[in-house]
Amino acid sequence: MIHHEVTEKKFLECERWYILTCLTFVGGFFGGYTYSVRGGVFCNAQTANFVLLAMSLGSCDWKQASYLCIPITAYFLGAVVSEAVADGIKRFHLIRWDTLLIIIEILVIFILGFIPDTAPYQISQVAINFIASMQYNTFRQADGVPMATTFCTNHLRQVGVFFTKGIRHKSLADIKRMGFYIAMLAVFVAGGTISTMICHQFTGKGIWFAILPLAIVVIDLLHADLKTEKNEFDRIPRGH
């Protein structure tokens, strides 16, 4: 019974805080990349596109409204693919979907670096829409704490929530949880800052620098899949 409880409490490697920290950095990097050198937009989430879609419909700008359906659809398909493929991949008992996703991200980023700066921005934007959606849908918790690695709205909300709870109840646990979200916000900002500096120097090829943290993640996840967690493919990450 004791052994069973310990096993149940153990987090999979794809749920560990250091993995999601690296991915949060990459999320910030994506934002800096698309805004700095790929059209001055953020592609990690879709709220802005839905607002723009509503404004376009209200202005009877059908061309713009039609175009906005493209990134929205790409984001939708990212969630669909990540849900549909995950179960099928683990049946082979080779690697988890989480690991395969990071490999896919690295390949997409590698290809994006070759796209000329004169090419339509929409190519890079839609690609980031797609992989950001898959990353957001796949990596949901860090050591049991609900997380999003591609945007910060919920992190900021949680900072406010746990700040209030910590003060009201004089709870050190709530203050620590607040600090966790603040740290993730800082990591996201660091990713965006470094991305902006790099992209100003290397333009579109700056996206290649995001491969480094992703390579660290994929090496760690592959080690878990092939060694430490090779008998745990049937375990589902928390939050799924």
Side-chain angles (χ1 to χ4, degrees), residues 162 165-167 169-179:
F162 286 105
K165 288 183 176 180
I167 297 301
H169 304 298
K170 297 182 174 59
S171 169
L172 182 59
D174 288 328
I175 295 299
K176 286 182 177 179
R177 180 67 68 87
M178 178 189 73

Side-chain angles (χ1 to χ4, degrees), residues 151-163:
F151 53 87
C152 294
T153 304
N154 185 59
H155 293 2
L156 186 58
R157 181 183 73 88
Q158 296 288 11
V159 170
V161 168
F162 286 105
F163 172 78

